[in-house]
Amino acid sequence: MPPEPPTKPDAPPPQQQTPDTMLAAGRTAGEGWGREDAKQCDPPTRAHSDLVPPSQPNTLILAYQNGYRLGYQTAYDEAFRDNCLKP
């Protein structure tokens, strides 16, 4: 009788996203783009400030976009002050 094939370990459970995790992910992404866009002082630009809204309402996408917007605006304002408004 041939040996039994090795059994595969159980796959990890699928990752469950929540509005809070999506908000945090969006905020992190927005902070990166906000700091990057604030490097250009003249003319100031907020080129990556807005994301395209979903065609159908989705709680997770809206949470991500709200986090992105918050992170972007906060990081942009702080970085713009540091990069462009110093005497």
Side-chain angles (χ1 to χ4, degrees):
M1 200 168 179
E4 291 185 32
T7 59
K8 294 181 181 179
D10 292 335
Q15 186 175 4
Q16 297 296 318
Q17 297 294 342
T18 66
D20 288 339
T21 61
M22 293 300 286
L23 182 82
R27 187 171 186 164
T28 300
E31 287 170 352
W33 278 111
R35 282 190 292 276
E36 186 65 29
D37 285 353
K39 290 178 181 176
Q40 180 178 341
C41 298
D42 190 29
T45 180
R46 291 184 186 244
H48 299 97
S49 64
D50 292 321
L51 298 175
V52 176
S55 58
Q56 295 181 351
N58 180 305
T59 303
L60 296 178
I61 292 173
L62 291 174
Y64 181 90
Q65 289 183 333
N66 288 337
Y68 180 93
R69 204 170 288 115
L70 175 66
Y72 182 96
Q73 298 299 340
T74 302
Y76 183 94
D77 291 346
E78 290 172 358
F80 188 83
R81 276 193 295 273
D82 290 345
N83 297 334
C84 304
L85 299 179
K86 286 186 176 180

